[in-house]
Amino acid sequence: MSKFAELHYEGKVYQLPVVEGTEKELALDISKLRDESGFITLDIGYKNTGATKSAVTFLDGEQGILRYRGYPIEQLAEHASFLEVAYLLIYGELPTQAQLATFEREITIHTLVHEDIRKIYDGFPASAHPMAVLASLTCALSTFYPESRTTEGTNLNIIRLLAKMPTLAAWSYKNEMGHPLNYPNNALDYCSNFLHMMFAYPTETYTADPVVVDALNKLLILHADHEQNCSASTVRMVGSSQVGLFASVAAGINALWGPLHGGANQEVIEMLERIKADGGNVKKYVDMAKDKNSNFRLMGFGHRVYKNFDPRARIIKAACDNVLNKLGINDPTLEIAKELEEHALKDDYFVSRKLYPNVDFYSGIIYRAIGIPTEMFTVMFALGRLPGWIAQWKEMTANKEPIGRPRQIYIGAPERNYVPVSERK
Ligand code: SDX
């Protein structure tokens, strides 16, 4: 039996259907509100607004729960490969052995990019941020591999994007370093191949450390999707104009780059280095973060949805100790991060606002330990998030969702007439 909420206004009553999700989340369906009442709703930053009904990812910010297609992130991070998780997110089920083998093979044989794409790198200055390069080249893929609306064509472009993004990402780093580009090696798995393209040199043989490969696999899984975050919503919004997969994902890469979103992982390490250079005075920076006039935030802290520990941060924090110990690395910024967390979580400013470490707080420490340069941290986030963006785009497209077009409340000038420039004061 359908349930309704009622809106009473100036003697009239409007019924708003109640929508209930799998985990009993509740929403008021306002899709007919304006036609029936003239009202729109206003929710700047969409803090309380659902943009869609999705089956991809479930998260509960109060409980610190995150599941991809129903599977808890803790189990996937522990037992799955990144490509298994990519398949799960995009196609809805964990692949059988045969399906996974086919998926892996398909991706392996599409890791090369058109040789003309190499020439585009020559046009970027060495100082180009790898996120700008990645976003540009992801969009440029549509000039080499036309967007498609058929199922076969779409699936081929999904494979191409998953296969080529690691190549584009690694080449953006090599281009920045002025090193020769490394071509993909089809004998390697997804993570080992990326590390090979990033760190191999023509002058010596490179073999990825299994500890590093495992850490990268875990990090990519933990970043793979996060329901309607800023960049996924961007992919859905841009995709709703039916522009196609490559252009929609390129828009998502740009949204992710922002320091309030995926760009935070780079900002966290720069913040920790600043604290280290300042004698490790953690209290000074916690106090600064509380001072509205300081313009300083504790990067990697706080989250729009998690009002408890970000479950990904827990896993990454534990992995930090494990990876650094196995690699025999002593990174003083890890101790500073732990001290910062401990200090903040005893401070009412953070406790009262439910500000906990998020996915970005510890991830940079592992990225650095496995050799990823700081400017590539957000590119790593994009590599992980790619299957999530694809899954969200595919769901939006399959559901034939209408073009996104929010309303507004106008607060500008009332009607007025044109005044010739000669008469303006
Ligand atoms: C990601 O949405 C997702 O799912 C994103 C993500 C994903 O997987 O896709 O999880 C990835 O983007 C993680 C977030 C990475 N960003 C950062 O770490 C940047 C630092 N964090 C903040 O800027 C902030 O916490 C946000 C952007 C993450 C969330 O911002 P909100 O929800 O808009 O909350 P807000 O800015 O309104 O903050 C509420 C209060 C404010 O104080 P008051 O006005 O109540 O006095 O908390 C304060 C803020 O000033 N606050 C912080 C703070 N974060 C919030 N104060 C100090 N340091 C911080 N980090």
Side-chain angles (χ1 to χ4, degrees), residues 121 124-131 133 169-179 181 373-376:
Y121 282 90
F124 287 107
S127 59
H129 194 289
M131 280 296 276
V133 175
W171 283 12
S172 68
Y173 168 61
K174 285 304 204 185
N175 181 63
E176 188 184 10
M177 299 300 287
H179 293 173
L181 304 180
T374 306
E375 274 214 339
M376 285 287 289

Side-chain angles (χ1 to χ4, degrees), residues 363-382:
S363 56
I365 292 167
I366 296 191
Y367 285 139
R368 184 156 70 173
I370 65 177
I372 305 290
T374 306
E375 274 214 339
M376 285 287 289
F377 287 5
T378 311
V379 168
M380 299 309 294
F381 195 142

